[in-house]
Amino acid sequence: MTNQIQTLITQMTLAEKAALCTGDSRWTTTEVERLDIPQLLVSDGPHGVRRVADIHSLAQKSEPATCFPTASSLAATWDVDLLYEVGQALAEEAIALEVDVLLGPGVNMKRTPLCGRNFEYFSEDPFLAGALAVGFINGVQSKGVGTSLKHFAANNQEFERFSINAKIDERALREIYLAAFETAVTKAKPWTVMCAYNKVNGTYASEHQRLLTDILRDEWGFEGFVVSDWGAVHNRLASLQGGLDLEMPGPKEARVQAVINAVNNGELDEALLDEAVRRILQIVFKAAETPKGGSFDVAAHHALARKVAAAGMVLLKNNGILPLQNPESIAVIGRSAQEPHFQGGGSSHINPTQVDNPYQELQKLAGPAGLTYAAGYPTDDTFQQELIDEAVVLAQASSVALLYIALPSFKESEGYDRPDLDLTKQQVALIQAVTAVQPNTIVILNNGSAVAMSAWIDGPAAILEAWMMGQAGGGAIADILFGHTNPGGKLAETFPLKLSDTPAHLNFPGENGVVRYGEGLFIGYRYYDAREQAVLFPFGYGLGYTTFAYSNMQVSASTFQDVDGLTVTVDVTNTGLVAGQEIVQLYVHDQESRLVRPTKELKGFAKVALQPGETKTVTISLAYRAFAYYHPAYQQWITDNGQFDLLIGASAADIRCTAVVTMQSTLTLPTLLNRDSTIRTWLDDPLGHGILLPFFQKLQAQGAGLIGSEDGLRERYGENSMALVMDMPLLSVLHSEENSLSLSPEETVNNLLQQLHRS
Ligand code: BGC
């Protein structure tokens, strides 16, 4: 195929090549009939196939497809295999709907719970997001349908998303904001990557040569094509030169003409255009190998959506009321029991094949229990006391109240960020009023990201986080409430106590066109850990109808080399009365490192199914990167010798077993000493230490101050000034010893640095 594509490129006219690099419609690439080059059809994405019948239309309702739970819910399953299964089902639907590439998954970080689009993203943790994306992408692509990993990079807010300049330091970029992309690209090879709208450190993502070429292709080995987010291209030449192959949407004749002109007048190297064409053609022909058409199994996919929705639901609180034990009467309160809120607004909006009505699904499982219903809150942001009064009457008259609370789309959607973490005023008042009269109240939440609960959390007997749960979520809720399914989901994001506690609070959403990622590496639990700050529910947290005990943690070696990595095992026992699944999390803490590191970081996890009383040994491997961090000065991932704590937890705040291991770094790194280096850094540097002290001794012998050793320095400068001296540049210290030097202080330091580089 590679040769055939090369031949084709030589046969294509400049106009045809330019046209191929710009969409022909909102959803297709340009067909070149003359050369039998078919068009490629893409569709959103990510949790369902949004295939519009008329590819030129923006607003048209899409063909029916299964709406699976959105990414927040998928992530809370912590189940890579299940995401693979969802990916396969999505691909089957894409094939039936004649779609070549599904526009997803989204692996942007949940930097703040306020991001309106968090429902489409997996996690605040790049390791988890990366692992889940791999499952998803592999699932879709195993069936011959492509994916588009998005939005590359740093699209972590909706406020001014088309233009905001995300200012991120190199370590945070590498360790947090690029890491999930890196995992997905290197391990799952998505066919395409979609660039973000925003700027990253001053350059539009759509023109970002460092991101799109140097890092994505040269470092990570990405072989597919880069597509723009819809409307993200500002300067077509700059974007082509940066590494963006396909501009979407089209048609855009002026853009095509601009590329033709640029080649003709020598502004754009035609070889660069050929390269973009080659990348696009490669995917166009790969996609064409998958025969399209036919149908998909609507019922089976709906059943899968139900299974996944249940697996992603997180039981946040339960005083023992759940699972329900044959209540006599149930007051079902809350509009979303009849009008389910199961997906988010914006480009991912799916036209579902069918939708479970939560109320009716309850009724199917409720047996003889009598059900009553009250809407509880309006569709808009008005306050309607009479709806609350009506609900209270029903709740009082029933043995159990189920409160279905959905965060409305006007508070959370693609396109804008949330103003706060709160439910609507009416919803809060409703929960307070109902729980005041009915202690057996269970709150069921539908939302895409963390909500604050302090105003009402003490009221209900149980809280179930059901997320934007997909079209079959109504049934999944019923399954969990009645104990047909044991909830096994855990949070992939921290639920903070209040907005002002959140990591990006003082740096969000930015102003004057810039958002500064001032919290650096410290997002999510990394921040709450470092600040020792209490949270509402920690990362990795979730209850179930059984309990698990952890024991017998073992490591494959107590001392190991970074390149060899380690294997950790732990026994997990189901100590309760029903079958369940536990999500075992492995965090790594570096005891000592040259640069600041988070208190702990997730570096492995496993999900294990256990019958009551059963024990299984869980094995988790840790490779080089589990111990490494990105060092901007070395421009690489480095390891430091030393001890690491390995922490096995049921959540980030519930560590059950620990082990200490010693790692030996195999790296030999060049020295970073330079003219600005302090005495301390000279002495800390193994080579520098060996050069500086003999030099001082020589000076001392020549009658300079007593500075031939650390003790000598201490004596010379006195204990108090010592700390100050240690943090002074060598050059400045030498200035005060100028009379004892044969050369100028500058020449002396240069000589020492040369000596260092020779050794
Ligand atoms: C969104 C993308 C989406 C594209 C096409 C954009 O506005 O940011 O996620 O894939 O539209 O609908």
Side-chain angles (χ1 to χ4, degrees), residues 306 313 356-358 361-362 365 471-480:
R306 181 167 179 153
M313 289 182 189
D356 279 1
N357 173 297
E361 294 301 320
L362 278 176
L365 302 187
Q471 65 180 48
I477 293 173
D479 290 339
I480 286 179

Side-chain angles (χ1 to χ4, degrees), residues 107-111 118 123-126 129 156 176-177 180 523:
V107 292
N108 295 105
M109 289 291 97
K110 301 193 189 199
R111 175 176 177 243
N118 272 0
S123 180
E124 68 188 24
D125 182 84
N156 307 299
I176 305 291
Y177 295 100
I523 73 162

Side-chain angles (χ1 to χ4, degrees), residues 26-27 43-46 50 58 103-104 117 120-121 150-151 155 158 161-162 194 197 228-231 346-348 414:
R26 291 205 63 77
W27 308 109
S43 283
D44 282 305
R50 189 169 67 104
L58 174 61
L103 301 175
R117 219 173 168 180
E120 270 190 79
Y121 301 141
K150 66 189 187 184
H151 308 91
N155 178 186
E158 292 299 277
R161 68 166 162 156
F162 294 99
M194 186 191 295
Y197 285 123
S228 71
D229 199 343
W230 268 229
S347 58
S348 66
E414 177 180 345

